[in-house]
Amino acid sequence: MRATLPRLALGALLLTTGCAGGEGAVGPSPAVPAEDEPTEHVFAAGEQITADLTMYDGDDGRRTPFFSGYRPTIEFRHTGRSGECGVRLPVDLREFSPGETHMVVLECDMEVVVPVDDPGFALVEEGVERGTGEVVPTGEG
């Protein structure tokens, strides 16, 4: 998924700057946002949210791994709103060790609204930020 977004961005840049070749490419055209492009994704309580999560290691991080079903506090940066969310690991990942980054699924106890331009969140334990991540759009939210 990470490789796809930069390729799409590069393709869009080439098309808007007239570098795509082809006939009729006369130069840059103004960027006009599509009317139906969402500015935010809304997830109902309990809905699955795909996220790219990095857990800190060392003094500010966890000292032990966690497993599927772990329920930390997730604080969404754009609102400062936080709530408890279950973290589900991929089937092929037994445990999530400190210092690692993985794609996970969050299932939160409250409705979550994530702006497209600010998808970040913090994972908090006992009032201390132990990790950080970003919601990854899947076309379902």
Side-chain angles (χ1 to χ4, degrees):
M1 175 99 184
R2 287 181 178 221
T4 303
L5 290 175
R7 287 183 186 152
L8 289 174
L10 178 60
L13 179 63
L14 291 173
L15 286 174
T16 59
T17 59
C19 296
E23 295 188 29
V26 292
S29 59
V32 178
E35 290 179 27
D36 58 346
E37 283 188 31
T39 58
E40 60 187 26
H41 297 284
V42 179
F43 300 91
E47 188 173 349
Q48 295 183 352
I49 304 170
T50 302
D52 191 18
L53 175 63
T54 300
M55 292 302 298
Y56 303 150
D57 191 8
D59 292 339
D60 293 331
R62 287 183 58 87
R63 303 211 185 275
T64 60
F66 68 84
F67 304 88
S68 268
Y70 171 60
R71 296 190 62 78
T73 298
I74 301 293
E75 182 177 304
F76 292 90
R77 297 203 189 282
H78 64 283
T79 63
R81 185 172 180 205
S82 63
E84 192 172 285
C85 299
V87 180
R88 198 172 70 206
L89 303 180
V91 175
D92 61 342
L93 184 65
R94 184 180 164 290
E95 63 184 28
F96 197 129
S97 296
E100 294 182 350
T101 299
H102 297 286
M103 294 294 281
V104 299
V105 172
L106 302 176
E107 294 176 352
C108 300
D109 292 343
M110 77 281 187
E111 179 183 81
V112 175
V113 178
V114 179
V116 170
D117 62 348
D118 189 11
F121 63 86
L123 184 143
V124 179
E125 291 179 330
E126 301 171 352
V128 178
E129 184 174 314
R130 305 286 185 187
T132 188
E134 286 193 357
V135 172
V136 177
T138 60
E140 297 175 15

